[in-house]
Amino acid sequence: MSNTTNQQWGGRFNEPTDAFVARFTASVQFDQRMYKQDIRGSIAHATMLEMAGVLTVEERDLIVNGLNEIQSDIEAGNFEWSIELEDVHMNIEAALTKKIGITGKKLHTGRSRNDQVATDIRLFVRDEIDLILAEITRLQQGLAELAEGEADTIMPGFTHLQTAQPVTFGHHLMAWFEMLTRDYQRFEDVRKRVNVMPLGVAALAGTTYPIQRHVTCELLGFDAPAENSLDAVSDRDFAIEFCAASSIMMMHMTRMSEELVLWTSAQFNFINLPDRFCTGSSIMPQKKNPDVPELVRGKSGRVYGHLFSLLTLMKSQPLAYNKDNQEDKEPLFDAIDTVKGCLRAFADMVPALESRKEYMREAALRGFSTATDLADYLVRKGMPFRDAHEVVGKSVAYGIESGKDLGEMTLNELQQFSDTISEDVFDVLTLEGSVAARDHVGGTAPNQVRAAVSRAKAMLAKRG
């Protein structure tokens, strides 16, 4: 057993904490990464306490200077973290008291570790969301630039992973861009609910000291103080919501990853990934493995798991704070690290993708990808769509039997299915004619892709 009880809270205890229990209940091993947020929150709290008349100006300055020195010590690697002091908060407070004396013990006036940790974690998540938003923007910038250069590059579009209609590579890349736009918006929205300040509600019921929560709120850049003390210390909705937004984005990235893996295979050969984003085989010298998209695809599972972990953690918890909530940090921190790592990998990799235009075009020529264009052509000639559908279906069946794509058939061959077909049909059976014909907002026409890229760049520029 430990020789002494924790001096921060051990006054009512008659025996020391068991050594294993001390290690089992400690969180400093992982929550020390919030030291900047803890110090920032403490400086704001001390500033507010002076304005409220709880601290003198001299005491405030002594505390603030001491905390700044501690941050410098931590960042220089000269700070010794103690498991016996349990967490980041008590380690820093103990160091402050050791550095400046009894004045350090006044810092905790009017607050509890409950509202302190709830504030720290919100500050931390807010900072990380800002970094994630910046990485999403960087990835989207790379996508927009690549899409602009590939606006004319024809490739097959798929449904059920079967050739459907011709599209362009630029149009496909902008579909990824749209997914990420929704992800960006979700994280922005999560940030609004993260940016509510619990500090000042103390353990669960507020404090009798004349604190000024709106002052602390402004100093820390929160939008508003939390309205209810019981909810403020025990709410972890924002962490769950962050993991939900992260899970959706990781789902999007798995879709991108799967396509990259398929496209780099010899069976597709649509794109080339630079060697720096790939690895080889220890036994097969010809192999070039797309490890980055494969790993991103695989890492989605851990983020999904963290979402369910936090949902389960909060399930059936009574108000207010419970020790269970200490278990929120490791899944949240790992979700943050995973998302940031995956975004960085993609933001570095995507601009370096190289399209293999000839293989994409060849694939688009297979699978009767202009069949819908032929049906639309017949409808424009006055044929009911259902009849046109049947005519094209018979044409495709003939093509399968004869080994010819629609565009490779002669006029006589096509006219055996309908005499409505005339020489101008070949204008719509070309790949270029097919994509150019869908000339509307959201369509595949190259000029529409470029217009979409232009709108996207304007949106990104507004983010600053």
Side-chain angles (χ1 to χ4, degrees):
M1 291 193 300
S2 305
N3 293 325
T4 59
T5 60
N6 191 304
Q7 293 182 0
Q8 311 285 10
W9 50 254
R12 62 92 67 214
F13 286 76
N14 295 318
E15 63 177 344
T17 304
D18 181 86
F20 167 75
V21 172
R23 293 192 302 273
F24 183 72
T25 59
S27 61
V28 68
Q29 308 96 306
F30 49 84
D31 68 15
Q32 62 182 260
R33 68 186 294 175
M34 298 193 299
Y35 73 89
K36 287 183 182 178
Q37 290 76 22
D38 194 74
I39 289 171
R40 192 190 316 168
S42 290
I43 288 175
H45 185 66
T47 303
M48 181 276 296
L49 289 178
E50 184 275 322
M51 294 176 69
V54 177
L55 295 177
T56 66
V57 172
E58 292 75 17
E59 288 172 329
R60 178 204 63 194
D61 290 347
L62 198 60
I63 288 171
V64 170
N65 292 335
L67 288 169
N68 284 326
E69 289 176 14
I70 289 170
Q71 180 165 334
S72 296
D73 290 341
I74 294 171
E75 291 172 351
N78 298 326
F79 190 89
E80 186 174 344
W81 298 99
S82 169
I83 286 182
E84 285 191 353
L85 290 171
E86 297 183 16
D87 54 35
V88 60
H89 328 293
M90 291 171 67
N91 269 266
I92 289 174
E93 185 180 328
L96 180 67
T97 301
K98 183 177 180 181
K99 185 179 288 285
I100 68 173
I102 194 170
T103 301
K105 295 183 178 182
K106 297 184 178 183
L107 174 60
H108 208 55
T109 305
R111 73 176 182 182
S112 162
R113 278 194 296 172
N114 293 357
D115 64 337
Q116 188 177 358
V117 67
T119 301
D120 286 2
I121 198 168
R122 284 175 181 268
L123 288 170
F124 184 84
V125 172
R126 187 182 72 185
D127 291 344
E128 295 299 320
I129 286 176
D130 289 342
L131 295 175
I132 287 168
L133 291 174
E135 280 296 275
I136 293 174
T137 296
R138 191 164 73 91
L139 173 53
Q140 287 189 293
Q141 289 169 338
L143 279 171
E145 289 293 336
L146 186 60
E148 188 172 33
E150 302 287 353
D152 295 291
T153 302
I154 292 176
M155 67 177 292
F158 299 95
T159 62
H160 308 279
L161 206 55
Q162 306 295 313
T163 299
Q165 292 177 275
V167 297
T168 68
F169 187 36
H171 189 66
H172 197 115
L173 293 169
M174 289 306 292
W176 293 359
F177 186 99
E178 291 299 314
M179 295 179 190
L180 290 165
T181 296
R182 296 192 296 273
D183 294 323
Y184 189 97
Q185 292 166 346
R186 265 184 284 270
F187 279 111
E188 275 192 315
D189 201 47
V190 173
R191 194 187 189 281
K192 295 174 185 176
R193 281 174 289 286
V194 169
N195 208 33
V196 176
M197 189 190 73
L199 193 60
V201 302
L204 80 161
T207 177
T208 59
Y209 293 97
I211 61 171
Q212 300 173 25
R213 295 187 66 214
H214 284 87
V215 170
T216 320
C217 187
E218 184 175 349
L219 289 170
L220 291 174
F222 283 106
D223 292 332
E227 290 285 344
N228 184 281
S229 62
L230 291 170
D231 179 61
V233 294
S234 59
D235 169 35
R236 294 298 183 270
D237 290 3
F238 65 92
I240 295 170
E241 195 174 355
F242 173 88
C243 286
S246 297
S247 295
I248 294 172
M249 187 177 73
M250 288 301 296
M251 176 271 292
H252 286 154
M253 296 188 77
T254 67
R255 298 181 70 185
M256 301 175 202
S257 296
E258 177 70 7
E259 291 183 325
L260 290 172
V261 171
L262 286 172
W263 292 348
T264 56
S265 69
Q267 289 69 30
F268 279 77
N269 205 18
F270 283 3
I271 63 168
N272 177 57
L273 282 179
D275 290 352
R276 63 186 180 274
F277 298 105
C278 303
T279 63
S281 166
S282 63
I283 188 173
M284 295 171 285
Q286 84 281 9
K287 292 295 293 298
K288 180 179 175 180
N289 300 323
D291 278 12
V292 169
E294 286 182 343
L295 269 175
V296 170
R297 186 177 60 184
K299 286 179 181 293
S300 63
R302 65 196 296 161
V303 178
Y304 295 176
H306 296 325
L307 171 60
F308 279 94
S309 177
L310 290 176
L311 284 167
T312 306
L313 173 69
M314 296 306 298
K315 176 184 176 294
S316 303
Q317 270 203 38
L319 291 170
Y321 182 84
N322 299 279
K323 188 66 170 177
D324 313 43
N325 288 2
Q326 182 173 295
E327 290 295 299
D328 63 353
K329 296 169 195 63
E330 288 175 289
L332 178 61
F333 291 166
D334 188 72
I336 289 169
D337 293 342
T338 302
V339 165
K340 286 168 58 181
C342 291
L343 281 170
R344 177 180 175 178
F346 261 53
D348 290 345
M349 179 183 66
V350 163
L353 298 180
E354 299 171 0
S355 65
R356 297 183 181 272
K357 296 177 175 59
E358 67 278 14
Y359 291 101
M360 288 184 175
R361 180 180 177 81
E362 180 187 348
L365 286 169
R366 299 193 302 268
F368 305 96
S369 63
T370 58
T372 303
D373 297 281
L374 178 56
D376 291 343
Y377 166 87
L378 291 170
V379 170
R380 287 195 297 271
K381 293 279 188 174
M383 185 179 294
F385 180 78
R386 288 303 173 197
D387 293 340
H389 190 286
E390 184 178 359
V391 168
V392 177
K394 290 178 179 178
S395 303
V396 169
Y398 172 80
I400 294 171
E401 184 180 343
S402 63
K404 293 183 178 181
D405 191 73
L406 294 172
E408 297 172 326
M409 297 179 190
T410 66
L411 181 59
N412 287 337
E413 285 175 308
L414 289 169
Q415 285 179 334
Q416 66 183 307
F417 306 107
S418 174
D419 56 13
T420 303
I421 298 174
S422 57
E423 188 69 40
D424 61 349
V425 72
F426 295 104
D427 294 336
V428 304
L429 293 183
T430 64
L431 297 178
E432 287 78 11
S434 177
V435 297
R438 295 189 285 278
D439 191 7
H440 54 77
V441 173
T444 60
N447 64 297
Q448 290 293 341
V449 175
R450 293 187 182 93
V453 170
S454 180
R455 291 191 296 270
K457 287 184 175 181
M459 179 188 71
L460 294 174
K462 288 181 181 178
R463 292 180 187 172

